[in-house]
Amino acid sequence: MKHDLKRGALLLASATFFTAALNALQKLTGSTLPALEIIFFRNLFSLPFVLLIASRSGIVLKTHHFGGHVLRSVVGLISMIMVVITVTRLPLAEQQVLSYTQPLFLVLLSIPLLHERPSLQRWVAVSIGFSGVIVVALGKGLLHGHGATGAAVPNWAYFVALAQGAVGALTTMQIRQLSATESSTTIALWQAILMTVMTALPLPFIWTTPGLTEAGCLVAVGAFAGIAQVLQTEAFASAQVSAIGPFAYSGLLWAALIGWFGFGEIPGIAMAIGGLLIIGSGVWMLRSDRPARQKVVAEGTMDAATGTPP
């Protein structure tokens, strides 16, 4: 693989921009449309991009673990629902920084589920990361029973955002297990198809007719998700994961800028400090475990992007 750091970093930073943009659109539509309806259109309109990626190596749907794909899609769907719920209620930057706890939960879940023994370095990184979560919580008064000042933000939304990091880690582990026998394109195709079908089934019972502006947002959500996936795939095909992986955290910058100029959300000092601790711990783990991350991230590039670095 030709190593082009500049191209890979630019592509990955661009992918995180489109992910932040689709989260902003989900925030706009999430207050008037059901989460499942938004997710249906997200998967439906991103499917052509998944097919584009898969066509390069051949579209293969044959699988020996259909049940595993179903379970992985169910967990992924839960994660997407949690994202819609949290971006609708939290400032974009705060939701984004809490989603970066996924690598931390990945370490914790790997002990009972994969029987792995994390190194001392990874335990230190996890401790630093969760200390960042505490800083964010203290800044919002969550540990003292009161929320942020200004616009009313329900405390439970922060806990849902944190839980989404754990669910996202579980989806990454499922990809790792499926990839033992399935190609990344097969995993991505089944996820896109199954999620579209799963979210289509309840539509007759929850359907809310979107307005013209909302309909445009729904199309853009799916297109942006697909574009982000293509860009992320191209990025990790252009350069070594250990070199460009940290650029995945540029999503926080895009989320903060979009939240500031689009929604008047000004990040606080506690969020900035906590974010640095969480991101720093993630970068440390990425750098200290290069071979394993290379494989996991390569597989994760075919996943439906939630804006969280693998």
Side-chain angles (χ1 to χ4, degrees):
M1 179 181 68
K2 183 179 179 181
H3 181 66
D4 189 338
L5 177 60
K6 184 177 180 180
R7 181 174 186 271
L10 181 61
L11 286 170
L12 189 54
S14 299
T16 64
F17 167 77
F18 279 101
T19 301
L22 78 86
N23 278 340
L25 293 176
Q26 290 183 143
K27 186 180 185 73
L28 285 173
T29 55
S31 59
T32 56
L33 298 177
L36 285 176
E37 186 174 337
I38 296 171
I39 296 169
F40 166 75
F41 285 105
R42 170 178 175 163
N43 285 285
L44 179 66
F45 290 115
S46 66
L47 187 55
F49 295 91
V50 176
L51 290 171
L52 173 64
I53 299 172
S55 65
R56 296 184 178 184
S57 57
I59 298 176
V60 180
L61 287 175
K62 183 179 180 181
T63 176
H64 300 288
H65 298 284
F66 181 72
H69 288 289
V70 172
L71 180 60
R72 186 262 174 278
S73 297
V74 169
V75 176
L77 180 57
I78 293 172
S79 178
M80 284 190 179
I81 292 172
M82 296 171 84
V83 169
V84 174
I85 290 174
T86 53
V87 297
T88 303
R89 292 164 175 81
L90 298 181
L92 288 174
E94 292 181 1
Q95 185 277 331
Q96 187 71 47
V97 77
L98 290 175
S99 75
Y100 289 153
T101 57
Q102 177 177 322
L104 310 181
F105 284 110
L106 190 59
V107 173
L108 299 180
L109 291 174
S110 69
I111 300 172
L113 298 182
L114 298 180
H115 307 291
E116 294 183 355
R117 300 179 65 181
S119 64
L120 178 61
Q121 278 188 328
R122 299 184 81 180
W123 279 119
V124 173
V126 168
S127 299
I128 293 174
F130 279 113
S131 69
V133 174
I134 294 174
V135 170
V136 173
L138 287 172
K140 292 299 175 183
L142 301 184
L143 303 185
H144 299 288
H146 55 86
T149 57
V153 178
N155 288 352
W156 59 262
Y158 289 95
F159 295 102
V160 173
L162 186 60
Q164 190 274 322
V167 176
L170 186 57
T171 63
T172 300
M173 296 181 69
Q174 289 175 315
I175 292 175
R176 182 186 299 182
Q177 293 172 330
L178 284 171
S179 64
T181 56
E182 313 282 294
S183 69
S184 58
T185 54
T186 300
I187 295 172
L189 281 170
W190 274 116
Q191 174 188 290
I193 293 170
L194 289 171
M195 281 192 177
T196 302
V197 172
M198 289 176 183
T199 50
L201 292 176
L203 279 185
F205 307 100
I206 63 170
W207 178 261
T208 299
T209 302
L212 187 60
T213 301
E214 291 172 326
C217 288
L218 292 176
V219 174
V221 164
F224 285 1
I227 292 170
Q229 199 163 351
V230 171
L231 291 173
Q232 191 181 39
T233 301
E234 287 296 317
F236 288 121
S238 301
Q240 295 175 357
V241 172
S242 59
I244 66 171
F247 287 93
Y249 291 100
S250 62
L252 179 58
L253 173 62
W254 301 126
L257 289 175
I258 294 173
W260 189 353
F261 292 105
F263 300 93
E265 301 168 350
I266 302 177
I269 296 177
M271 197 287 295
I273 296 175
L276 286 174
L277 291 171
I278 294 171
I279 292 174
S281 67
V283 172
W284 186 2
M285 283 192 286
L286 184 67
R287 293 291 191 176
S288 65
D289 196 13
R290 295 185 181 185
R293 293 283 174 184
Q294 184 83 19
K295 186 174 187 298
V296 172
V297 176
E299 293 156 0
T301 59
M302 296 300 299
D303 191 14
T306 57
T308 308

